[in-house]
Amino acid sequence: MPFTHYILTILAALGLALPVAVTAQVQSAPKLLVVISVDQLSADIFAEYRGKMTGGLARLQGGAVFPAGYQAHGATETCPGHSTILTGSHPARTGIIANLWADPALTRADKKVYCAEDPNVAGTASGSGQYEPSVKHLLVPTLGDLMKARTPAAKVVAVAGKDRAAIMMAGHGADEVLWLDARSGLTSYRDTALSPTAVAAGAAIARAVATARPALDLPVQCAAHDIPVPIGPQKTVGTGRFARDPGTFRAFLASPEADGAVLAAAAALRAGYRLGEGAQTDLLIIGLSATDYVGHSYGTGGSEMCLQMLALDREMGAFFKALDATGVDYAVALTADHGGHDIPERNRQNALPAAERIDASFSLGTMADKVADALGLPKPLFIAEGGDLYLNRSLTATQRIAAQAELVKALTGHRQIAAALTGDALAAMPLPTGSPASWSVAERMRASFHPQRSGDVLFALKADVTPIAEAEAAQPGRYVATHGSVWDYDRRVPILFWRKAMASFEQPNPVMTVDIMPTLAALIGLPLVGVAIDGRCLDLVAGAASSCP
Ligand code: ZN
């Protein structure tokens, strides 16, 4: 299939393809802020493809370019990352320490907590389809919340591939918060009626999901990536073309179609809410999740990511053209919730022989039982979630300290573990400041540590260790690559700002995603008095003047 603009197909179905152009009256504050998160768009992928861009990502490179942005914290996952973008704060302050954590005190049987759920609703569990979507764990206001507090007429609308992306960027009082859904195309919080625009956009997406898609042609720019890489005896990645059977929602999500669908919905919502047409500044939040699903499913080095990057650029270009045609004076900020890295199998082929998967023998359960037996402690000794271990609550204070010491010793004894620390040690550290490039591993972990939500013991894997064992990665349909580590390949993301006619510049030194919120607040003259944040305003004016207060 040749280059298709999925966004245009859906926009045409909604009768929104070609709005009439009007001349924009450029004012001091833009009338619309468009904030885009591209899930798992690492600084490395951006560096690899930025020269090949001709669409939306080429346009944004004509603005203020920060190629060394940092999701500075250690838990480089989707929910914490999205929580930093429009709050100006590290996960330690936003409270979103991970996608999932454990709360042994929960009354429900499932002690795991999903970052974007209300676990106190009866009959829920943290698993997909069983939880009640909620923003209650986000402990701080978002830019949208502050805009609405100052100007109640300000409108805030969010649409994303994932609920946690939309929810964490939208905040507590958005007008509409939407994410992709297998059945209805788009959905929102339970018992929330969708706007007519969202219903129509969702129906168009559901029709797209129900339609089969032929394989994409491989453009010449991707030819060098088209090399098969075996993972175990039955699975190969690296040469995919995104052919899809009708009704296959999961395959839809992990393909360029999904971002086109979300961008089409965003354009429709812009029109439906008349965003940018009032006296105030409005906020349109967009979470593009396909890059992440593609990275998890195929790694970052094959034909699949190449096709995804070219499509992302193209779809975003079409979206900006549709925005241009409305005449609304808009400003764009684009970043990612975390970086990512390639599968060890391809990394080993490409001059990184140390890349490996977690040892098949690595078992936290075995370690728990061993330590419990050695110290005469109750089992299970802890609940593990990611790199956080939550000790059994029946332990006495003395037993707890002994268990922590023994677990730190056992963890640091493993050849693939870089660091193990107690929660108490992290709690005693101040939040790190200064350049995130020079933070220690413990400082990175501190920036996504919260004393009420993080574990009693935390650990980090060494660099170039993928925490998906080969036996799991080799299974059909299972993820082969991931992110979440404390290492820079997972922390570094591009940060781009663009507005019509702005003078372009590039700042290669590190900045942080927590800087985005104060930067945008300054752009619209929103004072941040009495709001505690970790970021700083980035001056977007190339000359001597400044966009910061
Ligand atoms: Zn993510």
Side-chain angles (χ1 to χ4, degrees):
M1 193 180 193
F3 289 165
T4 302
H5 285 88
Y6 300 111
I7 176 176
L8 295 183
T9 313
I10 290 176
L11 280 176
L14 294 167
L16 285 167
L18 289 170
V20 179
V22 293
T23 308
Q25 180 75 42
V26 177
Q27 296 167 355
S28 55
K31 301 305 289 295
L32 175 64
L33 295 176
V34 179
V35 176
I36 303 172
S37 166
V38 179
D39 204 309
Q40 204 187 126
L41 180 65
S42 66
D44 294 329
I45 288 286
F46 177 68
E48 182 175 358
Y49 286 98
R50 61 182 289 191
K52 295 187 170 90
M53 300 305 186
T54 57
L57 282 163
R59 180 193 294 225
L60 297 185
Q61 290 180 63
V65 179
F66 298 90
Y70 272 79
Q71 287 280 5
H73 53 275
T76 50
E77 295 183 336
T78 295
C79 220
H82 279 106
S83 84
T84 70
I85 295 171
L86 286 176
T87 65
S89 289
H90 299 305
R93 195 186 299 274
T94 69
I96 307 301
I97 58 152
N99 284 345
L100 277 168
W101 60 86
D103 181 358
L106 275 185
T107 50
R108 74 181 184 189
D110 180 13
K111 305 302 181 194
K112 300 285 178 71
V113 180
Y114 177 53
C115 60
E117 72 156 329
D118 182 350
N120 296 318
V121 173
T124 60
S126 63
S128 176
Q130 302 164 282
Y131 57 80
E132 174 89 20
S134 169
V135 70
K136 69 179 286 183
H137 290 127
L138 183 65
L139 301 177
V140 295
T142 59
L143 178 66
D145 294 334
L146 298 173
M147 287 167 66
K148 278 182 156 307
R150 189 180 64 153
T151 312
K155 281 168 280 188
V156 178
V157 175
V159 59
K162 299 179 184 178
D163 58 3
R164 56 188 177 275
I167 289 170
M168 292 302 150
M169 292 197 288
H172 305 270
D175 296 272
E176 189 152 34
V177 184
L178 299 158
W179 53 90
L180 290 177
D181 177 69
R183 215 160 28 86
S184 53
L186 288 171
T187 191
S188 185
Y189 295 117
R190 198 177 296 179
D191 302 327
T192 302
L194 266 54
S195 66
T197 305
V199 171
I205 292 168
R207 285 195 296 276
V209 173
T211 308
R213 294 289 177 188
L216 296 172
D217 291 337
L218 193 74
V220 64
Q221 302 97 303
C222 294
H225 295 272
D226 196 39
I227 297 170
V229 181
I231 301 175
Q234 289 170 1
K235 189 168 171 180
T236 298
V237 298
T239 57
R241 301 286 193 274
F242 299 115
R244 186 174 66 71
D245 291 330
T248 47
F249 183 65
R250 216 173 154 227
F252 175 88
L253 287 179
S255 82
E257 288 177 87
D259 288 346
V262 169
L263 286 165
L269 290 160
R270 205 295 314 155
Y273 280 92
R274 306 179 70 90
L275 300 178
E277 296 179 25
Q280 75 290 338
T281 300
D282 298 321
L283 174 58
L284 177 60
I285 296 163
I286 304 171
L288 301 177
S289 310
T291 301
D292 184 66
Y293 289 121
V294 169
H296 282 301
S297 303
Y298 308 104
T300 59
S303 64
E304 302 93 348
M305 186 58 82
C306 186
L307 285 165
Q308 166 60 17
M309 281 300 111
L310 298 182
L312 173 71
D313 176 50
R314 217 163 48 235
E315 303 285 331
M316 219 184 291
F319 171 74
F320 290 144
K321 276 187 185 156
L323 269 188
D324 293 342
T326 67
V328 169
D329 175 21
Y330 66 99
V332 181
L334 179 142
T335 191
D337 55 339
H338 50 75
H341 62 138
D342 206 359
I343 48 173
E345 291 80 5
R346 188 161 35 222
N347 266 332
R348 286 198 294 268
Q349 292 181 358
N350 294 348
L352 196 67
E356 62 178 346
R357 295 188 177 277
I358 188 98
D359 287 346
S361 61
F362 179 70
S363 164
L364 287 168
T366 307
M367 188 181 294
D369 287 349
K370 237 169 142 172
V371 172
D373 288 340
L375 299 178
L377 299 175
K379 295 180 187 175
L381 183 59
F382 56 75
I383 300 172
E385 181 48 56
D388 287 58
L389 311 182
Y390 299 82
L391 288 172
N392 191 313
R393 284 164 60 85
S394 71
L395 265 55
T396 66
T398 314
Q399 287 174 326
R400 185 172 170 274
I401 290 166
Q404 281 175 311
E406 202 59 29
L407 285 169
V408 165
K409 204 166 84 183
L411 287 162
T412 47
H414 189 276
R415 69 170 193 94
Q416 291 177 311
I417 290 179
L421 290 150
T422 65
D424 303 323
L426 287 171
M429 288 170 60
L431 260 183
T433 55
S435 171
S438 57
W439 290 5
S440 68
V441 168
E443 284 175 319
R444 298 169 197 192
M445 292 165 77
R446 174 64 184 87
S448 46
F449 175 85
H450 188 279
Q452 272 83 54
R453 295 180 182 176
S454 297
D456 300 298
V457 175
L458 299 91
F459 69 93
L461 293 175
K462 285 185 180 168
D464 304 323
V465 177
T466 295
I468 304 172
E470 185 183 334
E472 184 183 339
Q475 289 174 39
R478 299 300 288 267
Y479 284 164
V480 299
T482 194
H483 47 81
S485 82
V486 300
W487 305 107
D488 274 5
Y489 48 70
D490 286 344
R491 296 170 78 218
R492 290 183 302 105
V493 295
I495 299 177
L496 312 172
F497 297 93
W498 180 89
R499 193 178 177 188
K500 191 176 175 182
M502 87 181 262
S504 179
F505 71 91
E506 179 149 342
Q507 174 50 262
N509 286 292
V511 297
M512 296 190 280
T513 54
V514 295
D515 299 333
I516 294 171
M517 189 277 248
T519 301
L520 294 178
L523 207 60
I524 61 170
L526 178 73
L528 295 177
V529 181
V531 185
I533 61 170
D534 298 311
R536 66 177 177 94
C537 177
L538 304 171
D539 171 17
L540 300 183
V541 178
S546 175
S547 61
C548 294

